[in-house]
Amino acid sequence: MAYELPPLPYDYAALEPFIDAETMKLHHDKHHQAYINNVNAALANHPNLAALSPDDLLRDLAKVPEDIRTTVRNNGGGHSNHSAFWKLMGPPQTPGIGGEPTGAIANQIATDFGDFESFKKTFNETTAKQFGSGWGWVVLIDGKLKVITTANQDSPLSQGHYPILGNDVWEHAYYLKYQNRRPEYLAAWWNVVNWDEVNRRLATAKG
Ligand code: MN3
């Protein structure tokens, strides 16, 4: 029951000009595939764990034997995070993608942050400050949207939080186009956010 690379739900060039095709191809075909290969190798002799979804593994890393726990945390995390990430984006200037949030997440942002600009500002500033490789996330804590970051491929699931929205700030996600300009990438990224998917994840987070 080895994990498999989920296909990108759009073409490599679909997120242009905000995320370039070359970055998407390397990121999906090489980086995500490598996480999958590594976690599959670690779980090869643990069919009971390999039968779980990556998300369920990450929710309770204590059940993973210590000798493979870091590998599973990093690479199972990489698989889970990227599987969510591809779906959280879509071709700009299509309905539900980019622009102002829609549906329940729009109301939740208005309640918890006042307006979309304040929400984006908090997310971009918090995530820009993540030192080195990691992710910026939006999660629900005590019923309110919060922006958090994690290092490496750590998943909010391991802290008991279901990720509603997330952006990858490893340099492999933006370096070809933006080089060291992470804030510019963060600002541009909102043009490809898939609000329908964010709304689906918000509903899941609320249970
Ligand atoms: Mn990545």
Side-chain angles (χ1 to χ4, degrees):
M1 277 269 271
Y3 299 134
E4 290 178 9
L5 183 66
L8 261 193
Y10 35 75
D11 295 338
Y12 298 119
L15 308 185
E16 297 264 12
F18 305 106
I19 304 183
D20 59 287
E22 182 68 8
T23 294
M24 288 302 293
K25 186 165 175 49
L26 288 166
H27 200 176
H28 177 268
D29 294 6
K30 303 297 182 189
H31 290 275
H32 190 171
Q33 183 70 61
Y35 298 124
I36 291 170
N37 295 347
N38 291 337
V39 71
N40 283 339
L43 295 176
N45 297 321
H46 302 273
N48 54 324
L49 294 175
L52 299 173
S53 73
D55 287 9
D56 281 343
L57 269 181
L58 297 164
R59 284 185 174 101
D60 186 8
L61 284 167
K63 66 175 170 276
V64 177
E66 210 169 349
D67 63 323
I68 59 166
R69 193 176 300 150
T70 301
T71 303
V72 169
R73 174 177 170 176
N74 290 340
N75 293 280
H79 180 27
S80 168
N81 293 343
H82 289 85
S83 297
F85 185 54
W86 311 132
K87 289 187 183 176
L88 279 164
M89 301 186 291
Q93 284 159 9
T94 53
I97 309 291
E100 296 281 322
T102 56
I105 190 69
N107 298 332
Q108 188 87 41
I109 287 169
T111 302
D112 296 339
F113 288 85
D115 56 38
F116 181 45
E117 286 308 312
S118 305
F119 169 74
K120 273 201 297 194
K121 188 168 186 285
T122 301
F123 186 92
N124 290 354
E125 287 180 359
T126 304
T127 305
K129 282 186 231 158
Q130 165 61 33
F131 184 75
S133 296
W135 290 74
W137 303 102
V138 177
V139 299
L140 217 46
I141 298 178
D142 298 331
K144 280 178 173 277
L145 294 178
K146 298 278 183 200
V147 175
I148 64 169
T149 60
T150 60
N152 306 313
Q153 294 294 349
D154 287 353
S155 169
L157 293 166
S158 302
Q159 304 170 19
H161 305 309
Y162 185 79
I164 294 165
L165 178 61
N167 193 1
D168 186 344
V169 293
W170 283 57
E171 286 186 342
H172 67 224
Y174 62 86
Y175 205 86
L176 290 181
K177 183 175 176 71
Y178 296 96
Q179 291 84 46
N180 61 326
R181 303 186 304 278
R182 185 189 285 183
E184 206 177 299
Y185 160 70
L186 282 163
W189 177 74
W190 295 98
N191 289 289
V192 297
V193 169
N194 182 339
W195 292 112
D196 294 342
E197 180 66 12
V198 177
N199 274 307
R200 272 191 286 278
R201 296 188 71 96
L202 174 64
T204 302
K206 289 188 162 181

